[in-house]
Amino acid sequence: MIMKWPTYKRRFFNRAKAEGFNKDYIKQCLDYAYNLFTRNLPIIYDQEHVSLLVGYNLSYLLRASNKPDAFYREFEILKKNGGKRKISEPLPSLKEIQRWILDNILYKCEVSRFAKAFIPSKSIKENARFHRGQRLVLSLDIKDFFSSIKFDKVYSLYKSIGYSKSVAVLLAKLSTLNNCLPQGAPTSPALSNLISHRIDKRFSSFAIKNKVRYTRYADDITFSGNFNVGNLIRLATCVLDDEKLSLNQSKTRLMMKHQKQEVTGIVVNEKLQAPRALRRKVRQEVYYINKYGLDSHLNAIGSTRANYIEHLKGLVQFVIFVNEKDTEFCEYLKYLKEYT
């Protein structure tokens, strides 16, 4: 049963008065609590209160916040371009704490409707759909997105939500590593969305005023419609500079109507489609399996059975995700499942 504010107020007042606190202090606490209560956020008075809510001793939270290096494991994964991405994954206990912060605080804060990533109800498909059939599609990439979002911005966010300085400091420290958002922490994606609210507001205001379309999928910014490309890139550079961010110039792409227009991996020229190159690759792989047999094909390409099949199934599932009624790839999926 959800407690109503008058009930909370009465119980808090009676308990605080019995503990000997004066009316001015009680009123100050209730004013603080009311701001959080009306936003459906957990009321947290101090750092000890944080520890009670997340289920870990305060001494543990302070160790995790003051010496976070000991609470993460780091590894690298391959990127699509052949490079490597550093992942900092919190240990299970810290991950559980971060998950509590995510579910109980961050997910309850309003995100810009132009942000399409890291939101349970949204996907790359929704992001791409918004840019179908446009004359121009401009794709911009924010350089080092997570690592460019520093502790001070995370602290300011928790403060702006309504938490006290001491609570905001602890929450921010539990959400950052080496003064920035760690790529691998459950809280980082949601924090990046909330902290990017001003970026989304400025870009969306420009888009609405100039009758063009705008979305942001994590660090991937997309504009589509009719616009002056040079002016728009200069605006993007200026807006990001104000937020101490920058464009990754090597990933800036302008796609015209007669070219393949791709948004977050999905072709958007007319109806949404998986890229032809991807479809051809899957067809070719299935052909080789049929012609030579799976084991012979694996020997030829130097891959293991489990990794290869799972990777190929992932590609097929992506095509089906984009085009649900693609009978050809639905058959491929059934075929590949026979090998698992």
Side-chain angles (χ1 to χ4, degrees):
M1 183 177 178
I2 299 175
M3 186 183 300
K4 295 183 178 180
W5 175 250
T7 302
Y8 179 91
K9 181 180 179 180
R10 183 181 66 256
R11 290 181 179 178
F12 183 93
F13 182 88
N14 292 337
R15 179 68 179 271
K17 187 176 180 181
E19 294 287 337
F21 293 102
N22 63 54
K23 289 184 178 180
D24 288 340
Y25 179 76
I26 295 173
K27 181 181 183 304
Q28 182 182 349
C29 290
L30 287 172
D31 288 344
Y32 170 79
Y34 183 72
N35 179 47
L36 296 167
F37 187 93
T38 54
R39 300 178 69 176
N40 195 31
L41 293 168
I43 299 168
I44 310 175
Y45 289 103
D46 53 30
Q47 294 186 350
E48 181 68 34
H49 198 174
V50 175
S51 74
L52 292 172
L53 290 173
V54 301
Y56 284 83
N57 291 333
L58 180 57
S59 59
Y60 180 87
L61 297 188
L62 293 177
R63 287 199 306 274
S65 62
N66 293 325
K67 295 184 178 180
D69 287 348
F71 292 81
Y72 286 84
R73 72 180 188 96
E74 295 187 345
F75 55 93
E76 292 181 332
I77 60 173
L78 290 175
K79 298 166 68 175
K80 288 183 179 180
N81 62 9
K84 293 183 178 180
R85 175 178 286 114
K86 179 181 175 183
I87 301 297
S88 300
E89 182 184 25
L91 298 182
S93 52
L94 179 56
K95 184 181 287 187
E96 184 180 9
I97 293 166
Q98 291 173 343
R99 190 75 217 187
W100 186 93
I101 295 171
L102 177 66
D103 291 338
N104 292 279
I105 298 177
L106 302 179
Y107 273 162
K108 293 183 179 180
C109 297
E110 186 178 358
V111 177
S112 167
R113 65 188 178 94
F114 297 93
K116 304 297 182 180
F118 313 133
I119 301 170
S121 60
K122 297 182 179 180
S123 69
I124 59 171
K125 191 172 178 179
E126 179 177 338
N127 183 56
R129 183 184 290 117
F130 199 64
H131 300 283
R132 285 180 300 178
Q134 299 300 301
R135 177 175 170 268
L136 299 174
V137 175
L138 178 64
S139 177
L140 305 171
D141 181 84
I142 303 174
K143 186 177 181 180
D144 300 327
F145 186 44
F146 278 15
S147 61
S148 295
I149 299 176
K150 304 301 183 183
F151 172 87
D152 59 338
K153 287 188 177 181
V154 180
Y155 165 74
S156 295
L157 175 72
Y158 285 121
K159 276 284 289 176
S160 69
I161 288 173
Y163 288 110
S164 67
K165 180 178 179 180
S166 66
V167 171
V169 166
L170 182 58
L171 293 175
K173 284 188 173 183
L174 291 170
S175 307
T176 54
L177 173 66
N178 298 326
N179 194 41
C180 64
L181 293 184
Q183 190 151 330
T187 43
S188 293
L191 283 167
S192 72
N193 262 350
L194 294 168
I195 290 169
S196 297
H197 185 80
R198 286 194 300 184
I199 294 173
D200 293 328
K201 185 175 182 179
R202 291 182 67 179
F203 283 151
S204 61
S205 296
F206 168 85
I208 292 169
K209 181 179 179 181
N210 292 276
K211 298 181 180 179
V212 299
R213 301 184 177 198
Y214 161 73
T215 60
R216 181 182 56 80
Y217 194 90
D219 56 356
D220 194 342
I221 294 169
T222 305
F223 290 94
S224 64
N226 294 311
F227 47 81
N228 182 296
V229 178
N231 288 344
L232 188 44
I233 291 177
R234 281 189 287 274
L235 170 68
T237 302
C238 178
V239 170
L240 294 178
D241 185 62
D242 288 346
E243 299 298 323
K244 298 181 180 178
L245 299 169
S246 60
L247 285 177
N248 187 338
Q249 302 290 348
S250 65
K251 291 188 177 182
T252 297
R253 291 189 301 157
L254 175 66
M255 296 158 280
M256 300 183 181
K257 187 75 172 176
H258 65 277
Q259 300 172 312
K260 180 181 73 173
Q261 296 175 324
E262 192 173 309
V263 176
T264 47
I266 300 176
V267 178
V268 297
N269 291 69
E270 295 178 6
K271 65 177 182 178
L272 300 186
Q273 290 278 12
R276 289 181 182 176
L278 173 60
R279 298 174 68 88
R280 284 197 299 268
K281 176 179 173 58
V282 172
R283 289 191 186 102
Q284 185 180 56
E285 296 296 322
V286 173
Y287 170 79
Y288 286 144
I289 295 172
N290 278 324
K291 183 174 181 178
Y292 302 109
L294 177 60
D295 291 335
S296 295
H297 179 51
L298 290 175
N299 287 334
I301 62 176
S303 181
T304 62
R305 185 184 182 102
N307 289 344
Y308 174 78
I309 290 297
E310 287 305 311
H311 174 68
L312 196 53
K313 279 172 59 181
L315 297 180
V316 173
Q317 288 167 335
F318 175 75
V319 175
I320 296 172
F321 167 71
V322 177
N323 303 110
E324 298 174 5
K325 297 180 181 180
D326 193 314
T327 55
E328 175 190 3
F329 277 75
C330 287
E331 288 300 316
Y332 288 159
L333 186 58
K334 291 179 184 178
Y335 174 72
L336 292 171
K337 284 181 177 179
E338 294 176 2
Y339 289 98
T340 57

